[in-house]
Amino acid sequence: MTEHISDSDLERIAQFVDTPAYEREPEQLLPEDIEEE
């Protein structure tokens, strides 16, 4: 596996982990440009 996780991906993951489980939504992990479609 040679895929690289970008800094923005790592930031989104960290925000997801820091969000309480009852407030989490899978869409939090999507890049912003995909969310708008």
Side-chain angles (χ1 to χ4, degrees):
M1 188 164 110
T2 60
E3 293 183 29
H4 175 73
I5 297 176
S6 69
D7 291 339
S8 62
D9 291 340
L10 289 173
E11 185 176 329
R12 274 195 310 281
I13 293 168
Q15 288 174 352
F16 183 82
V17 170
D18 289 341
T19 302
Y22 58 87
E23 292 182 5
R24 290 181 186 167
E25 297 179 4
E27 291 78 18
Q28 282 181 277
L29 297 174
L30 294 175
E32 290 179 14
D33 56 344
I34 292 177
E35 287 180 16
E36 296 171 4
E37 290 181 359

Coordinates of all heavy atoms in Angstrom, one line a residue:
M1 N 0.8 -1.2 0.0 CA 0.0 0.0 0.0 C 0.9 1.2 0.0 O 1.6 1.5 0.9 CB -0.9 0.0 1.2 CG -1.9 1.1 1.2 SD -3.2 0.7 2.4 CE -2.8 1.9 3.6
T2 N 0.8 2.0 -1.1 CA 1.7 3.2 -1.2 C 0.9 4.5 -1.2 O 1.5 5.5 -1.6 CB 2.6 3.0 -2.5 OG1 1.7 3.0 -3.6 CG2 3.4 1.8 -2.4
E3 N -0.3 4.5 -0.9 CA -1.1 5.7 -0.9 C -0.7 6.6 0.2 O -0.3 6.2 1.3 CB -2.6 5.4 -0.7 CG -3.2 4.6 -1.9 CD -4.7 4.4 -1.7 OE1 -5.3 5.2 -1.1 OE2 -5.1 3.4 -2.2
H4 N -0.7 7.9 -0.1 CA -0.3 9.0 0.9 C -1.6 9.7 1.4 O -2.4 10.0 0.6 CB 0.6 10.0 0.2 CG 1.0 11.1 1.1 ND1 1.8 11.0 2.1 CD2 0.6 12.4 1.1 CE1 2.0 12.2 2.7 NE2 1.2 13.0 2.1
I5 N -1.6 9.9 2.7 CA -2.7 10.7 3.3 C -2.3 12.1 3.4 O -1.2 12.4 4.0 CB -3.1 10.1 4.7 CG1 -3.6 8.7 4.5 CG2 -4.1 11.0 5.3 CD1 -3.9 8.0 5.8
S6 N -3.0 13.0 2.8 CA -2.6 14.4 2.8 C -2.9 15.0 4.1 O -3.6 14.5 5.0 CB -3.5 15.2 1.7 OG -4.8 15.3 2.1
D7 N -2.3 16.2 4.3 CA -2.4 16.9 5.6 C -3.9 17.3 5.9 O -4.4 17.2 7.0 CB -1.6 18.2 5.6 CG -0.1 17.9 5.7 OD1 0.3 16.8 6.1 OD2 0.7 18.8 5.3
S8 N -4.6 17.6 4.8 CA -6.0 18.0 5.0 C -6.9 16.7 5.4 O -7.8 16.8 6.2 CB -6.6 18.6 3.7 OG -6.6 17.8 2.6
D9 N -6.5 15.6 4.8 CA -7.2 14.3 5.2 C -6.9 14.0 6.7 O -7.8 13.7 7.4 CB -6.7 13.2 4.4 CG -7.1 13.2 2.9 OD1 -8.1 13.9 2.6 OD2 -6.5 12.5 2.1
L10 N -5.7 14.2 7.1 CA -5.3 13.9 8.5 C -6.1 14.9 9.4 O -6.5 14.5 10.5 CB -3.8 14.1 8.7 CG -3.0 13.0 8.1 CD1 -1.5 13.3 8.2 CD2 -3.3 11.6 8.8
E11 N -6.2 16.1 9.0 CA -7.0 17.1 9.8 C -8.4 16.7 9.9 O -9.0 16.8 11.0 CB -6.8 18.5 9.2 CG -7.5 19.6 10.0 CD -7.2 21.0 9.4 OE1 -6.2 21.2 8.8 OE2 -8.1 21.8 9.6
R12 N -9.0 16.3 8.8 CA -10.4 15.9 8.9 C -10.6 14.6 9.8 O -11.6 14.6 10.6 CB -11.0 15.5 7.5 CG -11.5 16.7 6.7 CD -12.3 16.3 5.5 NE -11.6 15.3 4.7 CZ -10.7 15.6 3.8 NH1 -10.3 16.8 3.6 NH2 -10.2 14.6 3.1
I13 N -9.7 13.7 9.7 CA -9.7 12.5 10.6 C -9.6 12.9 12.1 O -10.3 12.4 12.9 CB -8.6 11.5 10.2 CG1 -8.9 10.9 8.8 CG2 -8.5 10.4 11.2 CD1 -7.8 10.2 8.2
A14 N -8.7 13.8 12.4 CA -8.5 14.3 13.7 C -9.8 15.0 14.3 O -10.2 14.8 15.4 CB -7.3 15.3 13.8
Q15 N -10.4 15.8 13.4 CA -11.6 16.5 13.8 C -12.7 15.4 14.1 O -13.5 15.6 15.0 CB -12.1 17.5 12.8 CG -11.2 18.7 12.7 CD -11.6 19.6 11.5 OE1 -12.4 19.2 10.7 NE2 -11.0 20.8 11.5
F16 N -12.8 14.4 13.3 CA -13.8 13.4 13.4 C -13.6 12.7 14.8 O -14.5 12.4 15.5 CB -13.7 12.4 12.3 CG -14.7 11.3 12.3 CD1 -16.0 11.5 11.9 CD2 -14.4 10.0 12.8 CE1 -17.0 10.5 11.9 CE2 -15.4 9.0 12.9 CZ -16.6 9.2 12.4
V17 N -12.3 12.3 15.1 CA -12.0 11.6 16.3 C -12.3 12.5 17.5 O -12.7 12.0 18.6 CB -10.5 11.2 16.3 CG1 -10.1 10.7 17.6 CG2 -10.3 10.1 15.2
D18 N -12.1 13.8 17.4 CA -12.3 14.7 18.5 C -13.8 15.0 18.7 O -14.1 15.5 19.8 CB -11.5 16.0 18.3 CG -10.0 15.9 18.4 OD1 -9.6 14.9 19.0 OD2 -9.3 16.8 17.9
T19 N -14.6 14.7 17.8 CA -16.0 14.9 17.9 C -16.6 13.8 18.7 O -16.3 12.6 18.5 CB -16.7 14.9 16.5 OG1 -16.1 15.9 15.7 CG2 -18.2 15.2 16.6
P20 N -17.5 14.1 19.7 CA -18.1 13.1 20.5 C -18.9 12.1 19.6 O -19.4 12.5 18.6 CB -19.1 13.8 21.4 CG -18.6 15.2 21.5 CD -17.9 15.4 20.1
A21 N -18.9 10.8 19.9 CA -19.4 9.8 19.1 C -20.9 10.1 18.7 O -21.3 9.8 17.6 CB -19.3 8.4 19.8
Y22 N -21.7 10.6 19.6 CA -23.1 10.9 19.3 C -23.3 12.0 18.3 O -24.4 12.2 17.8 CB -23.9 11.1 20.6 CG -23.4 12.2 21.4 CD1 -23.8 13.5 21.2 CD2 -22.4 12.0 22.5 CE1 -23.4 14.6 22.0 CE2 -22.0 13.0 23.2 CZ -22.4 14.3 23.0 OH -22.0 15.4 23.8
E23 N -22.2 12.8 18.1 CA -22.3 14.0 17.1 C -21.7 13.7 15.8 O -21.7 14.5 14.9 CB -21.7 15.2 17.8 CG -22.5 15.8 18.9 CD -21.9 17.0 19.5 OE1 -20.9 17.5 18.9 OE2 -22.4 17.5 20.5
R24 N -21.0 12.5 15.7 CA -20.3 12.2 14.5 C -21.2 11.9 13.3 O -22.2 11.3 13.5 CB -19.4 11.0 14.7 CG -18.2 11.3 15.6 CD -17.4 10.0 15.7 NE -16.3 10.2 16.7 CZ -15.6 9.3 17.2 NH1 -15.8 8.0 16.8 NH2 -14.7 9.6 18.1
E25 N -20.8 12.3 12.1 CA -21.5 12.0 10.9 C -20.4 11.5 9.9 O -19.4 12.1 9.8 CB -22.2 13.2 10.3 CG -23.3 13.7 11.3 CD -24.0 14.9 10.7 OE1 -23.7 15.3 9.6 OE2 -24.8 15.5 11.4
P26 N -20.7 10.5 9.1 CA -19.7 10.0 8.2 C -19.3 11.1 7.2 O -18.2 11.1 6.7 CB -20.4 8.8 7.5 CG -21.5 8.4 8.4 CD -21.9 9.6 9.2
E27 N -20.2 12.0 6.9 CA -19.9 13.1 5.9 C -18.7 14.0 6.4 O -18.1 14.6 5.6 CB -21.1 13.9 5.7 CG -22.2 13.2 4.9 CD -23.0 12.2 5.8 OE1 -23.0 12.3 7.0 OE2 -23.7 11.4 5.2
Q28 N -18.4 13.9 7.7 CA -17.3 14.7 8.2 C -16.0 14.3 7.6 O -15.0 15.1 7.5 CB -17.1 14.5 9.7 CG -18.1 15.3 10.6 CD -17.9 15.0 12.0 OE1 -18.3 14.0 12.6 NE2 -17.1 15.9 12.7
L29 N -15.9 13.1 7.1 CA -14.7 12.6 6.6 C -14.5 12.9 5.1 O -13.4 12.7 4.5 CB -14.6 11.0 6.8 CG -14.5 10.6 8.3 CD1 -14.6 9.1 8.4 CD2 -13.3 11.2 8.9
L30 N -15.6 13.4 4.4 CA -15.5 13.7 3.0 C -14.8 15.0 2.8 O -14.9 16.0 3.6 CB -16.9 13.8 2.4 CG -17.7 12.5 2.4 CD1 -19.1 12.9 1.9 CD2 -17.1 11.5 1.5
P31 N -14.0 15.1 1.7 CA -13.3 16.4 1.4 C -14.4 17.4 1.1 O -15.5 17.1 0.6 CB -12.5 16.1 0.1 CG -12.4 14.6 0.1 CD -13.5 14.1 0.8
E32 N -14.2 18.7 1.4 CA -15.2 19.7 1.3 C -15.7 19.8 -0.2 O -16.9 20.1 -0.4 CB -14.6 21.1 1.7 CG -14.4 21.1 3.2 CD -13.9 22.4 3.7 OE1 -13.8 23.4 2.9 OE2 -13.4 22.5 4.9
D33 N -14.8 19.7 -1.2 CA -15.3 19.8 -2.5 C -16.3 18.7 -3.0 O -17.1 18.9 -3.8 CB -14.1 19.9 -3.5 CG -13.2 18.7 -3.4 OD1 -13.2 17.9 -2.4 OD2 -12.4 18.5 -4.3
I34 N -16.2 17.6 -2.3 CA -17.1 16.5 -2.6 C -18.5 16.7 -1.9 O -19.5 16.4 -2.4 CB -16.5 15.1 -2.2 CG1 -15.4 14.8 -3.1 CG2 -17.6 14.0 -2.3 CD1 -14.7 13.5 -2.8
E35 N -18.4 17.3 -0.7 CA -19.6 17.5 0.1 C -20.6 18.4 -0.6 O -21.8 18.3 -0.5 CB -19.3 18.2 1.4 CG -18.6 17.2 2.4 CD -18.3 18.0 3.7 OE1 -18.8 19.0 4.0 OE2 -17.5 17.4 4.5
E36 N -20.1 19.4 -1.4 CA -20.9 20.4 -2.1 C -21.7 19.8 -3.3 O -22.6 20.4 -3.7 CB -20.1 21.6 -2.5 CG -19.5 22.3 -1.2 CD -18.5 23.3 -1.6 OE1 -18.3 23.6 -2.8 OE2 -17.9 24.0 -0.7
E37 N -21.3 18.7 -3.8 CA -21.9 18.2 -5.0 C -23.3 17.6 -4.7 O -23.7 17.2 -3.7 CB -21.1 17.0 -5.6 CG -19.8 17.5 -6.2 CD -19.0 16.4 -6.8 OE1 -19.4 15.2 -6.7 OE2 -17.9 16.7 -7.3

